[in-house]
Amino acid sequence: MANYTTVTEFLLLGFSDVWELRVLHAMLFLLMYLTTLIGNLLIVTVTTFDKSLHTPMYFYLRNLSVLDMCYISVTVPKACVILLLNNRVISIAGCAAQIFLVISCAAAELLFLTIMAYDCYMAICHPLHYPVIMNPRVCVQMTLASVFSGLIYAGVHTSNTFWLSFCQSNVIHQFFCDIPSLLKLSCSDTFINEVVIFFSAVVIVGGFFSFIIMTYIRIFSAVLKLPTRRERGKTFSTCVPHILVVTVFVSSVFVVYMNPTFNSPTIQDMIISVFYSIVPPFLNPIIYSLRNKQIKEAVRRTMRRILYSEKQ
């Protein structure tokens, strides 16, 4: 029997060993993190306290903002610690928790984006049936179903990964724990894991992405029939950025997870991971707040109320 040492902890990596570059990367990560938290917290606050925004669309937007704050908090704080303090150690339990939270948040993110595309479709293409179909009870049920589905999906992949034995190198070539990087470190047969990942990426992620694309094709077909260019431009300006974020999110997941153990680890893998773990939570509040007239007006009303209450 070959000699091996069972791994008891893992070591994460930064993007560079040069101190100046590590500080620069940490500052960029921290800036994106704070911007994401502030932007999403602003959306949550405004959509909660402004009664004019108590509609299904902004209900889902508020839930998406809460999810995005959780999503980015799973990876970025630890990445900043790695970059600034060079504290790269993460326990097996911590690694499992990070994988579980990342996958559950990513799955719920995709489901929320799918629901929001469907909500937009119903509002534009079936406005008369919209209040009946997208009633408050249905909105809550779809939200809870998305969250629980994400937790179950993450539980399956996490448990399937940590049944494996890790007895090779303990260095994860990534700034957070993810399944493809761990499979490269396993001394067990990972064929079943790769099949499960491939199946879930193609069927589940690909299926929801196809549904979103088909939904927006129908939305655009309906929008093109609108009488004025202004109405068409308003819808396109909101939908196109949303599609771009979804496309970047899904395509980066495909690139990382379609061949989890084939390629040798490179810096490109870490950069691609940024596009599904950090970029969507960072861009979502920008797309849904800075480009949304109702959100901007609600922010102004909220600021006026705060200033008025301070003068009293």
Side-chain angles (χ1 to χ4, degrees):
M1 181 179 296
N3 292 328
Y4 64 85
T5 302
T6 302
V7 173
T8 58
E9 62 184 18
F10 296 106
L11 298 177
L12 300 172
L13 293 182
F15 290 87
S16 174
D17 292 327
V18 180
W19 167 247
E20 290 78 7
L21 291 177
R22 283 165 47 194
V23 172
L24 177 61
H25 295 154
M27 293 300 102
L28 289 175
F29 270 32
L30 188 59
L31 179 61
M32 294 179 69
Y33 181 59
L34 294 177
T35 303
T36 301
L37 291 184
I38 294 172
N40 283 295
L41 186 60
L42 180 64
I43 291 177
V44 171
T45 303
V46 170
T47 55
T48 300
F49 293 102
D50 195 304
K51 294 183 179 180
S52 66
L53 301 181
H54 288 182
T55 62
M57 179 178 120
Y58 293 105
F59 172 78
Y60 292 127
L61 180 57
R62 179 166 62 250
N63 292 329
L64 180 66
S65 295
V66 173
L67 176 66
D68 283 339
M69 287 189 286
C70 298
Y71 190 10
I72 199 169
S73 296
V74 177
T75 56
V76 172
K78 178 61 177 177
C80 290
V81 171
I82 295 171
L83 293 168
L84 293 177
L85 303 180
N86 201 29
N87 183 5
R88 303 188 295 145
V89 177
I90 185 169
S91 65
I92 290 182
C95 189
Q98 196 172 52
I99 285 179
F100 177 81
L101 292 173
V102 167
I103 295 179
S104 60
C105 288
E109 176 100 4
L110 180 60
L111 291 172
F112 278 169
L113 293 173
T114 304
I115 293 172
M116 292 175 72
Y118 178 74
D119 176 75
C120 183
Y121 164 75
M122 292 301 301
I124 294 176
C125 300
H126 301 282
L128 297 180
H129 298 108
Y130 180 76
V132 177
I133 296 176
M134 303 302 292
N135 60 71
R137 182 179 178 181
V138 171
C139 293
V140 172
Q141 289 175 342
M142 294 176 75
T143 299
L144 292 176
S146 299
V147 173
F148 285 120
S149 297
L151 293 175
I152 294 172
Y153 183 78
V156 170
H157 281 286
T158 304
S159 60
N160 197 35
T161 300
F162 282 88
W163 277 112
L164 302 173
S165 298
F166 301 97
C167 53
Q168 300 184 32
S169 170
N170 69 334
V171 179
I172 299 177
H173 291 264
Q174 190 60 269
F175 65 94
F176 66 96
C177 285
D178 70 341
I179 292 177
S181 299
L182 279 177
L183 293 185
K184 295 170 184 176
L185 305 181
S186 177
C187 52
S188 303
D189 184 7
T190 61
F191 176 74
I192 295 178
N193 299 74
E194 294 176 46
V195 170
V196 172
I197 291 173
F198 183 85
F199 176 82
S200 61
V202 173
V203 177
I204 299 177
V205 178
F208 281 112
F209 181 64
S210 299
F211 178 83
I212 293 174
I213 296 300
M214 293 301 298
T215 299
Y216 275 109
I217 289 175
R218 295 183 179 182
I219 291 173
F220 290 155
S221 299
V223 168
L224 291 173
K225 298 177 183 178
L226 294 176
T228 64
R229 182 179 296 178
R230 181 178 180 182
E231 291 177 328
R232 294 194 296 268
K234 180 181 178 182
T235 304
F236 282 129
S237 66
T238 302
C239 293
V240 171
H242 183 202
I243 294 176
L244 291 176
V245 170
V246 173
T247 302
V248 169
F249 174 59
V250 173
S251 60
S252 59
V253 169
F254 271 132
V255 171
V256 173
Y257 281 84
M258 289 297 283
N259 286 311
T261 62
F262 181 75
N263 296 320
S264 59
T266 62
I267 190 66
Q268 285 79 10
D269 294 334
M270 300 175 67
I271 295 174
I272 292 172
S273 297
V274 171
F275 284 96
Y276 75 83
S277 62
I278 298 177
V279 170
F282 173 72
L283 289 183
N284 280 334
I286 297 175
I287 291 173
Y288 291 110
S289 59
L290 296 181
R291 302 182 66 88
N292 189 300
K293 184 178 179 181
Q294 287 181 284
I295 290 286
K296 289 188 285 188
E297 290 177 351
V299 171
R300 294 190 189 101
R301 288 194 296 268
T302 303
M303 294 301 297
R304 284 197 294 266
R305 288 176 194 154
I306 294 175
L307 293 175
Y308 179 77
S309 62
E310 289 180 350
K311 292 180 181 178
Q312 297 298 317

